[in-house]
Amino acid sequence: MTPTLRRKLLALAERHEELQHLLADPAVVSDNNRFRDFSREYTQLQPVADALKAEATTQADLDAARAMADDPELGELADEEISAAQTRLQQLDEQLALLLVPRDPRDDGNLFLEVRAGTGGDEAAIFAGDLFRMYARYAERLGWKVEVESENPGEHGGFKEIVARVVGRGAYSQLKFESGTHRVQRVPATESQGRIHTSAATVAIIPEAEDVEDVVINPAELKVDTFRSSGAGGQHVNKTESAIRITHVPSGVVVECQTERSQHANRDKAMKRLKAQLLDAERNKQAAAQAESRRLQVGSGDRSQRIRTYNFPQGRITDHRVEGLTLYDLPAIIEGGMDELIARLQHEHQADELARLSEGS
């Protein structure tokens, strides 16, 4: 670990000790807001304090084992203890480094998933459907709930566009690197000559903000349209204009909701998603100004960047943001087995953040 990172760890340990004293201060205990904030910060720093304590204990064990290494009777035992202590110290060093990576406060939250067909006609819509099913099955495996808010089916299957809310602890932390253009190479079901086609679909991952109610929107800047729902829901939703489309004129952001029976309920859902999108766009604009070179562009919703290729003839999936990230397990991944892929992306993100911390940025 670099001296810069070590200094940051020691500063966090000092802050943890300071918080311990503050939480025992009667003035803090009597102030509910301060006590809550300090308690939350203390809990977040506890893993750092525990790991540093374990490191100090292991280092003491290593020193003791080295001290008896020359003893003829205890030398063999000392060698085993030295090896075990060195391995443990290496593990703790890596653990402490990861604890320094800034935690995104949105990681535990829900998200809005938007998948849209890009270039490629019917095949692009079919691929968009495949992507949505991949995310839905991954979510199902983790016990998350997927609530479709609007959909526009393709003529030969899949979707021209589908938007869903994904509800589950840690959903955003797992899927936040999925925003961008996804490209597919395969022989479409509609292809009679057996030729491989290249099509694309775009994905946007938008965190559901807890402070979305703080976003103020001028009603005069909204264009609201109603239409008949095309989704499931029985005769009622298909016979009445209960679906809502809201356009935020200054930004050009358009949201739809058609899953509820009442126009009022659909409008509330659509407004919540609109506010989340506007808030996320502002945050990403600020983040981009601070870190223009971030490879993974966390949660940027930038669908112009080609991030991944799904090559079906070779059973290969390649993420273009990470050198060497190619997996030959496409059939399993497209069925929701995304664990290894997501783990690799998270590891790269952590490595990038550690590099920035080492540079003192």
Side-chain angles (χ1 to χ4, degrees), residues 17 43 46 79 90 105 141 157 188 213 220 323 325 327 342 347 350:
E17 187 174 349
T43 300
Q46 188 65 51
D79 288 342
Q90 178 62 34
R141 289 176 56 242
E213 295 305 323
E323 184 177 357
L325 181 41
L327 302 175
I342 289 174
H347 178 77
Q350 291 170 341

Side-chain angles (χ1 to χ4, degrees), residues 132-306:
F132 178 75
R133 187 184 66 211
M134 175 180 74
Y135 295 127
R137 291 189 174 180
Y138 177 68
E140 181 182 359
R141 289 176 56 242
L142 294 179
W144 301 341
K145 187 191 227 178
V146 178
E147 305 169 348
V148 175
E149 296 207 343
S150 67
E151 59 183 274
N152 184 2
E155 295 179 5
H156 293 86
F159 300 97
K160 294 178 182 177
E161 174 185 299
I162 184 165
V163 178
R165 178 172 176 252
V166 180
V167 181
R169 184 171 180 83
Y172 183 69
S173 69
Q174 299 295 101
L175 295 178
K176 62 184 178 180
F177 302 115
E178 294 301 302
S179 290
T181 296
H182 296 240
R183 186 178 67 168
V184 62
Q185 295 172 328
R186 65 182 174 188
V187 179
T190 54
E191 168 61 51
S192 60
Q193 303 296 321
R195 293 172 298 184
I196 295 175
H197 286 223
T198 298
S199 304
T202 60
V203 174
I205 302 294
I206 300 163
E208 183 182 63
E210 292 183 359
D211 51 353
V212 70
E213 295 305 323
D214 297 336
V215 179
V216 179
I217 298 178
N218 184 351
E221 297 177 342
L222 300 179
K223 178 186 175 185
V224 181
D225 299 305
T226 59
F227 59 99
R228 293 185 182 180
S229 171
S230 60
Q235 294 180 346
H236 175 79
V237 295
N238 293 317
K239 288 186 176 180
T240 63
E241 293 194 344
S242 59
I244 287 286
R245 179 185 298 111
I246 301 177
T247 304
H248 183 247
V249 177
S251 66
V253 174
V254 180
V255 295
E256 293 182 2
C257 189
Q258 55 180 287
T259 56
E260 301 299 320
R261 290 175 61 88
S262 77
Q263 189 180 112
H264 179 74
N266 280 325
R267 181 187 176 94
D268 284 348
K269 276 193 168 184
M271 282 298 297
K272 186 174 183 180
R273 199 165 88 243
L274 174 61
K275 289 181 177 181
Q277 288 206 30
L278 294 177
L279 182 61
D280 188 54
E282 180 59 31
R283 285 174 172 169
N284 289 323
K285 181 179 177 182
Q286 296 171 0
Q290 297 170 357
E292 294 181 0
S293 62
R294 286 191 181 180
R295 290 178 296 157
L296 300 181
Q297 290 297 310
V298 180
S300 69
D302 180 6
R303 286 165 279 173
S304 64
Q305 179 192 18
R306 187 191 73 179

Side-chain angles (χ1 to χ4, degrees), residues 113 123 352:
L113 166 66
E123 168 63 7
D352 285 349

Side-chain angles (χ1 to χ4, degrees), residues 37-55:
D37 292 343
F38 287 160
S39 295
R40 183 183 296 118
E41 185 181 358
Y42 181 83
T43 300
Q44 291 174 347
L45 292 178
Q46 188 65 51
V48 175
D50 290 343
L52 283 172
K53 184 177 179 180
E55 183 185 53

